[in-house]
Amino acid sequence: MKYNYLSKNHYLQYKNLINSNITEGFFTNFINNVLNDNHIIMVLEDEEDIIGTGTILIEEKLTYGGCKMGHIENILINENYRKRGYGEQIV
């Protein structure tokens, strides 16, 4: 198992994992223009297959002394790999 940042070559597998009808153009635009150091999508791969994903959004706060807070979202695991602790590993 290995972790990687979501990239353009993950399109088909990611689309299937999240059960979405997003177009490759939308996906590529999202990778190029939305993801950054404060919006990260990671994928968990078994060999060459994406088996899970998770998103972290890092928000700079005006409150709490101007600290940064992370929001963990969209933890998804392929149904064939569930109940093995991979979701916890992503978090």
Side-chain angles (χ1 to χ4, degrees), residues 26-87:
F26 181 86
F27 182 82
T28 299
N29 183 62
F30 192 90
I31 298 270
N32 290 338
N33 298 304
V34 176
L35 297 183
N36 58 47
D37 290 341
N38 292 323
H39 187 166
I40 300 164
I41 299 177
M42 299 296 297
V43 293
L44 176 59
E45 296 177 293
D46 182 15
E47 300 293 327
E48 299 298 317
D49 297 324
I50 294 176
I51 64 157
T53 186
T55 301
I56 186 162
L57 299 168
I58 301 168
E59 173 188 15
E60 295 188 31
K61 304 292 283 184
L62 287 174
T63 55
Y64 303 105
C67 71
K68 292 183 179 183
M69 293 185 141
H71 303 270
I72 299 169
E73 300 181 345
N74 303 325
I75 305 300
L76 301 168
I77 304 296
N78 177 299
E79 63 185 26
N80 297 323
Y81 289 84
R82 292 180 186 161
K83 305 288 185 193
R84 299 183 195 179
Y86 295 125

